[in-house]
Amino acid sequence: MSQGHRHEEDCCGAGPGDRVQTAVQRMKDRAMRVTAPRLRMLKVLAAARHPLSAEQIHEAAGDDQLDLVTVYRSLGAMDDAGIVQRHPLERGRSLYALVSPGHHHHHVICRRCGRIERLPGCDTSRLEAAARAKGFGDLTHVMEIYGVCPACAQPSHA
Amino acid sequence: MSQGHRHEEDCCGAGPGDRVQTAVQRMKDRAMRVTAPRLRMLKVLAAARHPLSAEQIHEAAGDDQLDLVTVYRSLGAMDDAGIVQRHPLERGRSLYALVSPGHHHHHVICRRCGRIERLPGCDTSRLEAAARAKGFGDLTHVMEIYGVCPACAQPSHA
DNA sequence: GTCCGTGCAAATCATTTGCACTTCT
DNA sequence: AGAAGTGCAAATGATTTGCACGGAC
């Protein structure tokens, strides 16, 4: 999961700082405590250009600065609060990303190297409508596309 | 990863027995061995009207008739062969279902009671096209919708 | 001062792997 | 015969929980 891309922010609007502030505000609204470990996590999440695993967040935040268990617990709380979005994926792993309202999207994940890229948009409305028609409510969805990225598809790579 | 469409009759009127036979044939084509444990699993899968967990398959096939490990290993092999479709879901669990060519679909899963219902169709073509445009190949996708089913939404149920 | 959040250790749980043995083909 | 499949035990790896302490409000 290492490649030295350095892209500040891709497209629209809010920089990392703003996103942290927004998240902090939402935590306060929810009567959640804003602690040093959580701020570290938020900074990491705000700077990330794609979803991260708990382990990656732990490491990026300085693994000696906060416990992995705390990362899991805080991510759980933030997920419940709608501050981060959890992306459950194959083999029981999950990735987490700060929620950007109005920027719902999904990803392609390379089956071999784990590289992740964002895909624009989401076509689930029809399926969600069908689910709603069956009487289901409070809908959310999980969706990831898996494939082999260009680099890994290179014959020389085999 | 190719699916050879051959009999149209499989599509519309296939009973459990037919589905087992189709799966057996595909296993033979792939030089996979058709063994007693695998036949048991196929019968269970063919009779199911929704995806099952490895544990459920193990139990339904007679937990003393085959080992849980065998269930996992065979499901893995059948998944690779495109005979069963694996539905990875939250918390590291997976469900498996016999593949019905031409009947690709997804499900709604009740977050509270685990009830599963089939939803018609799949709208991922646009996203897969986007992934392909980014150079990714050999695409597959994971997608499940989560919600609260009518029964669990009942106030009296709380 | 209260609670929520944290750290550390130990526990879970679904799934995987090593190895020797059995059984298809 | 020989490879593929199986069973049992033990390992893995991500995530979770128990409990006592510490810090945010």
Side-chain angles (χ1 to χ4, degrees):
Chain A
M1 258 106 295
S2 55
Q3 51 227 213
H5 284 186
R6 304 217 283 104
H7 241 276
E8 302 304 275
E9 58 206 70
D10 321 279
C11 47
C12 17
D18 292 341
R19 301 181 72 199
V20 170
Q21 283 317 305
T22 303
V24 166
Q25 189 53 53
R26 290 173 95 184
M27 290 177 73
K28 286 181 177 170
D29 292 346
R30 286 254 183 176
M32 292 170 69
R33 290 183 184 165
V34 181
T35 64
R38 289 180 175 189
L39 272 174
R40 280 202 158 75
M41 291 173 59
L42 287 177
K43 279 180 195 156
V44 170
L45 286 166
R49 64 244 188 292
H50 63 227
L52 301 174
S53 68
E55 197 99 40
Q56 289 174 315
I57 295 168
H58 180 224
E59 192 175 347
D63 52 358
D64 54 335
Q65 301 295 310
L66 76 177
D67 199 281
L68 217 206
V69 175
T70 297
V71 173
Y72 276 111
R73 273 195 276 231
S74 295
L75 285 174
M78 293 179 188
D79 184 33
D80 289 345
I83 294 167
V84 302
Q85 184 186 351
R86 187 183 174 193
H87 295 268
L89 39 91
E90 294 182 341
R91 243 225 104 200
R93 277 173 266 250
S94 289
L95 302 179
Y96 302 82
L98 269 192
V99 168
S100 309
H103 286 73
H104 183 77
H105 61 266
H106 296 281
H107 306 86
V108 219
I109 303 170
C110 177
R111 224 177 262 121
R112 300 196 191 157
C113 69
R115 173 172 156 194
I116 296 175
E117 292 203 30
R118 178 187 292 201
L119 295 178
C122 171
D123 302 325
T124 55
S125 51
R126 200 151 65 205
L127 281 179
E128 294 209 344
R132 204 165 275 118
K134 280 181 176 290
F136 280 72
D138 195 11
L139 303 176
T140 60
H141 62 268
V142 158
M143 140 139 215
E144 307 295 342
I145 292 185
Y146 288 85
V148 178
C149 77
C152 289
Q154 219 86 147
S156 57
H157 188 92
Chain B
M1 283 283 151
S2 58
Q3 30 199 18
H5 291 210
R6 18 146 121 237
H7 300 274
E8 292 306 291
E9 79 177 60
D10 286 344
C11 294
C12 305
D18 291 339
R19 302 182 70 200
V20 170
Q21 282 319 305
T22 303
V24 167
Q25 189 51 54
R26 290 174 93 186
M27 289 177 72
K28 286 182 177 168
D29 292 346
R30 285 253 182 179
M32 293 170 66
R33 290 183 184 165
V34 181
T35 63
R38 289 181 173 188
L39 273 174
R40 282 203 156 75
M41 292 174 58
L42 287 177
K43 279 180 195 156
V44 170
L45 286 165
R49 37 343 191 181
H50 60 65
L52 301 174
S53 68
E55 197 100 41
Q56 290 174 313
I57 295 168
H58 180 224
E59 192 175 347
D63 52 0
D64 54 334
Q65 301 294 311
L66 76 178
D67 197 282
L68 217 206
V69 176
T70 297
V71 173
Y72 277 110
R73 274 195 275 230
S74 295
L75 284 174
M78 293 179 188
D79 184 33
D80 290 345
I83 294 168
V84 302
Q85 184 186 354
R86 185 182 175 196
H87 296 269
L89 38 90
E90 296 181 337
R91 241 222 111 204
R93 278 171 265 252
S94 290
L95 301 180
Y96 302 82
L98 268 193
V99 168
S100 309
H103 284 73
H104 182 75
H105 61 267
H106 297 282
H107 306 85
V108 220
I109 304 170
C110 177
R111 220 177 264 121
R112 300 197 190 157
C113 68
R115 173 173 154 192
I116 296 175
E117 292 202 29
R118 178 185 292 202
L119 294 177
C122 170
D123 302 325
T124 55
S125 51
R126 201 149 66 204
L127 282 178
E128 294 208 341
R132 204 165 274 120
K134 281 180 176 289
F136 281 72
D138 196 12
L139 303 177
T140 59
H141 63 268
V142 158
M143 143 142 211
E144 306 297 342
I145 293 186
Y146 289 86
V148 178
C149 77
C152 289
Q154 244 32 197
S156 58
H157 189 90

